[in-house]
Amino acid sequence: MPEPHDALTIPVPSEAGPGRLLVSPALDDDGSPHPQPRAVLWLGHGAGGGAGAPDLTALAEGLPGHRITVVRHEQPWVVAGRRVAPRPAALDAGWLAAAPAVAELAEGRPVVAGGRSAGARVACRTAGTTGAAAVVCLAFPLHPPGRPERSRAEELLGPDVPVLVLQGTRDPFGSADEITAAAGDAAGRVEVLPVDGADHALRTGRRAALGPAGVADLLRRAVAEFVAAAARP
């Protein structure tokens, strides 16, 4: 999938090798970079691919028009061309290595962390360390397929800041209903937005009411509103 035309690439050194940030700057009404973004949305990818995932790309294309700078982080293992993601501790280390560069881009403005699948887990685990103002989870992998007893709810509930979860109703890693149940008493802090008919990739079937364009529009609208709320004083 092609990158948004305005994406800038920033290399990020780490102990595991170089990662990189793909930056889509906040835009003014005339399409030029806005001098004062309201927030930075920092997104990580999943264990099966890089920053070109359709949901991440949709946010990178759509949110700059809402005065939100979108930063997609590619982990060192992806930059190196490897196909298998390392263990969670290594993913966290690669993510944290990029934190100073993201903070420099934000220039004191709120940073909302997030990502899809494994990237959402990383954002949740490190939210306190990075000082994230909020967390966005795209297809949070609550448990391995068919193994609901191996719950990762503790990671999802770890951040002490607002969390938005966009979850498919047919996700084998945990449906929207399962995520809602796992949120339990934290429901006031963890908001779950079901994506009707969507799987773990947030893809819908041919007969679903929402097609790819509808899913992308839902993600852009929901995340833009959530980030804007998190950025308010």
Side-chain angles (χ1 to χ4, degrees):
M1 179 171 292
E3 296 295 339
H5 72 278
D6 54 347
L8 309 173
T9 302
I10 299 175
V12 176
S14 79
E15 292 185 359
R20 64 186 166 211
L21 301 176
L22 304 179
V23 183
S24 299
L27 300 178
D28 214 332
D29 292 339
D30 62 1
S32 62
H34 198 288
Q36 292 186 325
R38 57 164 46 110
V40 169
L41 176 61
W42 176 22
L43 297 170
H45 56 76
D55 48 4
L56 301 179
T57 301
L59 296 179
E61 291 176 336
L63 267 62
H66 294 268
R67 283 183 52 201
I68 297 168
T69 292
V70 179
V71 179
R72 291 171 294 157
H73 175 230
E74 283 200 321
Q75 288 271 358
W77 68 273
V78 170
V79 175
R82 294 191 291 272
R83 295 188 176 184
V84 179
R87 289 184 171 275
L91 296 178
D92 290 358
W95 178 259
L96 292 174
V102 174
E104 185 175 348
L105 287 167
E107 296 183 326
R109 296 177 181 87
V111 174
V112 175
R116 80 152 358 264
S117 193
R121 294 180 63 193
V122 173
C124 285
R125 288 194 300 261
T126 61
T129 302
T130 61
V135 177
V136 172
C137 298
L138 307 172
F140 186 88
L142 184 63
H143 58 71
R147 301 293 301 275
E149 73 280 3
R150 294 179 58 186
S151 175
R152 298 165 180 144
E154 183 177 352
E155 292 181 357
L156 178 64
L157 303 180
D160 290 328
V161 293
V163 177
L164 173 66
V165 186
L166 296 108
Q167 198 81 5
T169 58
R170 297 190 303 110
D171 191 334
F173 288 81
S175 68
D177 285 344
E178 289 180 273
I179 294 286
T180 299
D185 293 339
R189 181 168 47 81
V190 179
E191 177 186 355
V192 183
L193 179 61
V195 183
D196 190 38
D199 59 14
H200 190 60
L202 295 178
R203 289 186 302 245
T204 56
R206 287 180 295 178
R207 297 183 180 180
L210 282 178
V215 171
D217 184 59
L218 173 65
L219 297 182
R220 286 191 290 260
R221 286 188 289 106
V223 176
E225 291 174 4
F226 179 75
V227 173
R232 294 190 188 110

